Amino acid sequence: TCRRSYKGRQGMSGHVYTVAGMRVVSSQTCEGIGTGHMTDLNLNVDWAEELGEVAEKPLWVALPDPVRGIASLDGTQCLLLNVPEPDGRGWQVRQAVPFLAALQGAVVLHASAVRTGSGVHAFVAASGTGKSTLGAALREAGLEQVADDLLPLRFVQGVQAMCSDSLSPLSGVWFLERFSSAEPALIHNGFGEMRVAEVWEVQFDAYYQVAQSVTCGRLLVPDDFGAIESTAKIVSERLRRPQELTSF
């Protein structure tokens, strides 16, 4: 976990983490977050024993389930329901970051990802589908794993994946479930559920750009998680031959 002490502008002690391209300053310690150093977004997190404060913050928006909290409309501040365990607070922050990024006009894919010579390949799926297991297996197969669950994107000279050390071209998006085209699959696995029209507009535009400029396809994973390793070997060989990859 990447963390260091931080003195807030009002003198309150805080702790700094990095999550999916976002520098997070939390008023309480968190565990299980912070996997990289490269950030270009900022978030201040405070914790409350109850969320009745939402009525006193008319310019804030409730975060969607499973996050228990509220956020400023610019996505730079949030108030989360406190839990006693640091790893529980870390889980809350990880769940909240993609939505806060969306409020700041950025996009985070719910994906594991590996980097090859041709760029980054993302494996998008709902929780429990096997994307993290596949990512770990691809790492064991010799590929560089750059994301386990959250992959931030930036739209500079095309579509770029923000890795821990640099931006790398997003070369492939692979969905671990069935969809007829890339755009609905991206929307289904997106983080734009908040009822803020401007947020959805930015997210839709971003998904369209990804679908038009990046190779996107389906990856059917076996129900037997024990077969993920053999699947990873096949996928690893295919990713090393990008000229053979085709979209939907």
Side-chain angles (χ1 to χ4, degrees):
T1 297
C2 303
R3 181 179 68 195
R4 64 182 176 82
S5 295
Y6 174 79
K7 208 72 172 175
R9 285 178 294 179
Q10 296 181 340
M12 295 180 61
S13 296
H15 307 272
V16 178
Y17 305 88
T18 58
V19 184
M22 181 174 287
R23 178 179 180 274
V24 179
V25 180
S26 171
S27 62
Q28 296 201 41
T29 58
C30 302
E31 292 182 359
I33 59 174
T35 57
H37 298 276
M38 189 175 185
T39 63
D40 59 2
L41 302 178
N42 293 284
L43 171 65
N44 293 317
V45 179
D46 206 352
W47 302 87
E49 299 305 319
E50 59 181 34
L51 295 175
E53 293 91 338
V54 67
E56 303 173 8
K57 297 180 180 292
L59 298 181
W60 287 43
V61 61
L63 292 166
D65 292 337
V67 185
R68 301 290 303 279
I70 57 176
S72 61
L73 288 176
D74 65 1
T76 63
Q77 301 180 66
C78 72
L79 181 67
L80 299 178
L81 187 66
N82 194 22
V83 293
E85 302 84 8
D87 59 341
R89 290 193 291 271
W91 182 87
Q92 282 265 64
V93 170
R94 283 188 61 84
Q95 295 294 315
V97 159
F99 300 106
L100 277 299
L103 285 172
Q104 295 188 41
V107 173
V108 176
L109 291 185
H110 192 193
S112 63
V114 295
R115 182 160 52 183
T116 70
S118 64
V120 172
H121 292 266
F123 303 95
V124 180
S127 298
T129 306
K131 63 183 179 299
S132 296
T133 305
L134 177 62
L138 288 170
R139 183 182 66 240
E140 292 298 317
L143 297 180
E144 178 190 4
Q145 186 175 13
V146 296
D148 173 65
D149 187 57
L150 301 175
L151 180 67
L153 300 184
R154 298 296 181 263
F155 297 84
V156 181
Q157 297 180 341
V159 183
Q160 305 281 331
M162 179 176 280
C163 304
S164 63
D165 57 349
S166 64
L167 294 175
S168 294
L170 183 64
S171 298
V173 177
W174 310 99
F175 303 101
L176 277 64
E177 51 192 311
R178 289 186 178 275
F179 286 95
S180 59
S181 64
E183 288 174 73
L186 286 165
I187 293 169
H188 178 80
N189 290 284
F191 292 103
E193 287 87 343
M194 289 173 292
R195 296 179 180 177
V196 181
E198 293 80 3
V199 170
W200 267 118
E201 182 177 355
V202 172
Q203 300 289 301
F204 282 155
D205 288 345
Y207 296 152
Y208 178 79
Q209 187 172 340
V210 171
Q212 294 299 308
S213 60
V214 177
T215 301
C216 299
R218 290 185 293 269
L219 176 61
L220 301 181
V221 294
D223 291 333
D224 179 9
F225 272 51
I228 289 289
E229 184 176 351
S230 59
T231 301
K233 292 180 180 179
I234 298 172
V235 172
S236 176
E237 293 173 0
R238 291 297 302 276
L239 293 183
R240 290 188 171 95
R241 302 194 301 274
Q243 69 277 6
E244 299 180 11
L245 300 176
T246 58
S247 286
F248 278 95

